[in-house]
Amino acid sequence: MVTGNTFLPGVFDAIQPALESLSWLHRIWVKFVDCSGTYICTPVKKQQSRFCGLVRSHPLGYRRCRETAVRCVHLDKGTYHLFPCHAGLFVLAVPLQGDAGSFGALATGEVITPSCSTTQVLEKLQDLGLNQELLRQFYQEIPVKSHEEIRMLGEALYALGNIGFRRFKPSTGDGLKDARQLARDAAEYIATNYHQPLTLEGVAQMVHISPSYFSHIFKEEQKQTFTSYLTEARINKAKDLLKGSDLSISVIAGTVGYEDANYFSRVFKKNVGMSPLAFKKRFNKSKC
């Protein structure tokens, strides 16, 4: 749910659907917290774990949870972080920064890694005097995430932070649609700039998301990898030039983004089934 806030007006109405989608997709609770550790925006359809709810029901537990949330804001910018909370569970967080400095963070509800120990977690909470059997029962409900799942979730959270707070407008209705739009924007950029020395990392930086998550959403949207899409764009343009000009193979190679004409010829043959010269001769012969 969204509570009142004096900054970024309208943004939380836009970010809410993305929190819902991310929480549903990864089956985990995701929140936006401000610099005081207050939960400003949380998903409606996915509730906080009962384990964390029980811990926060104790005044000291509540204070410690707030301190963990504040810590999320002051981590290094530009990436996601996985760190243990006061109870020994793990939190994924992405700190957010605007023109005026840090203003909050996106963070997951606590997760368990394969190395977590029930005994160690319960020992950290003994001074709260909470019902140990309930804690143990609720602990079993917390999702266990593999290292690969944590990496993917971290990339998604990082992308949401960049998309949501840099590109969302109040009228935007779906964070996943916005991610798909970024993939389409990137495809249009490739179509215009195929002759440049493009890299996945460079295009990802242009659309303000991490390379691995950009690779994921680009493949989801375009049904092919970034590299194959770029190669296809360059080869299609090369075919047009081979058909419609008297340019040499080396000039055409440079025109479509290949500095090495021999490498261009190998890529062309692999994708078309014949060399650029053979393609040119066949096309010119068919016109006779």
Side-chain angles (χ1 to χ4, degrees):
M1 61 188 301
V2 181
T3 63
N5 204 289
T6 57
F7 54 86
L8 298 177
V11 171
F12 296 116
D13 288 339
I15 205 74
Q16 183 77 44
L19 288 183
E20 301 288 356
S21 297
L22 191 61
S23 295
W24 177 84
L25 183 63
H26 291 276
R27 296 177 177 83
I28 196 169
W29 198 62
V30 183
K31 56 185 178 283
F32 171 77
V33 299
D34 68 10
C35 293
S36 71
T38 301
Y39 295 175
I40 299 299
C41 186
T42 63
V44 174
K45 297 179 182 178
K46 178 71 174 176
Q47 300 300 311
Q48 185 181 35
S49 70
R50 294 199 291 175
F51 181 94
C52 294
L54 180 56
V55 173
R56 286 172 65 87
S57 69
H58 189 285
L60 182 56
Y62 178 82
R63 190 180 75 186
R64 290 173 179 172
C65 289
R66 287 282 293 267
E67 291 171 351
T68 297
V70 170
R71 183 182 173 191
C72 296
V73 179
H74 299 291
L75 298 167
D76 291 338
K77 310 301 184 289
T79 187
Y80 65 88
H81 300 268
L82 179 71
F83 67 96
C85 73
H86 68 94
L89 305 179
F90 284 86
V91 177
L92 267 170
V94 173
L96 302 171
Q97 187 167 21
D99 295 336
S102 299
F103 60 84
L106 287 171
T108 65
E110 286 67 16
V111 300
I112 297 173
T113 68
S115 61
C116 282
S117 165
T118 308
T119 302
Q120 291 178 355
V121 169
L122 295 181
E123 284 178 353
K124 289 179 178 292
L125 299 172
Q126 277 186 346
D127 63 332
L128 301 184
L130 299 171
N131 186 306
Q132 292 291 297
E133 286 305 310
L134 271 183
L135 280 175
R136 189 179 297 275
Q137 175 187 335
F138 292 164
Y139 178 89
Q140 300 302 321
E141 299 173 356
I142 300 175
V144 179
K145 298 292 184 181
S146 68
H147 294 300
E148 178 63 17
E149 289 175 310
I150 287 172
R151 184 189 67 80
M152 288 300 299
L153 179 55
E155 297 288 0
L157 200 66
Y158 178 84
L160 176 58
N162 282 271
I163 295 168
F165 290 96
R166 293 186 187 183
R167 297 182 63 95
F168 264 140
K169 297 178 176 62
S171 60
T172 303
D174 189 333
L176 297 181
K177 289 181 180 178
D178 197 78
R180 290 194 290 268
Q181 183 59 52
L182 286 184
R184 290 192 288 269
D185 290 346
E188 292 177 7
Y189 183 81
I190 292 170
T192 305
N193 296 277
Y194 58 85
H195 56 288
Q196 300 290 340
L198 301 181
T199 64
L200 184 148
E201 291 76 12
V203 178
Q205 184 177 19
M206 183 200 73
V207 296
H208 305 298
I209 59 178
S210 67
S212 57
Y213 193 63
F214 167 71
S215 176
H216 173 73
I217 64 172
F218 189 90
K219 186 175 182 180
E220 285 289 313
E221 177 64 21
Q222 301 299 333
K223 310 306 179 187
Q224 61 186 127
T225 66
F226 169 86
T227 299
S228 64
Y229 189 92
L230 175 59
T231 299
E232 183 178 285
R234 287 172 167 172
I235 295 302
N236 285 340
K237 182 61 179 178
K239 289 163 70 174
D240 291 339
L241 292 173
L242 288 166
K243 293 177 183 178
S245 75
D246 294 324
L247 296 174
S248 67
I249 302 301
S250 61
V251 170
I252 290 176
T255 301
V256 299
Y258 293 97
E259 295 183 0
D260 187 333
N262 290 328
Y263 178 68
F264 161 70
S265 294
R266 291 197 298 273
V267 173
F268 189 96
K269 185 174 182 178
K270 180 180 179 181
N271 285 269
V272 181
M274 65 183 74
S275 69
L277 184 58
F279 181 88
K280 186 179 183 71
K281 288 180 178 179
R282 175 176 290 188
F283 181 80
N284 289 335
K285 182 179 179 180
S286 68
K287 293 197 297 184
C288 296

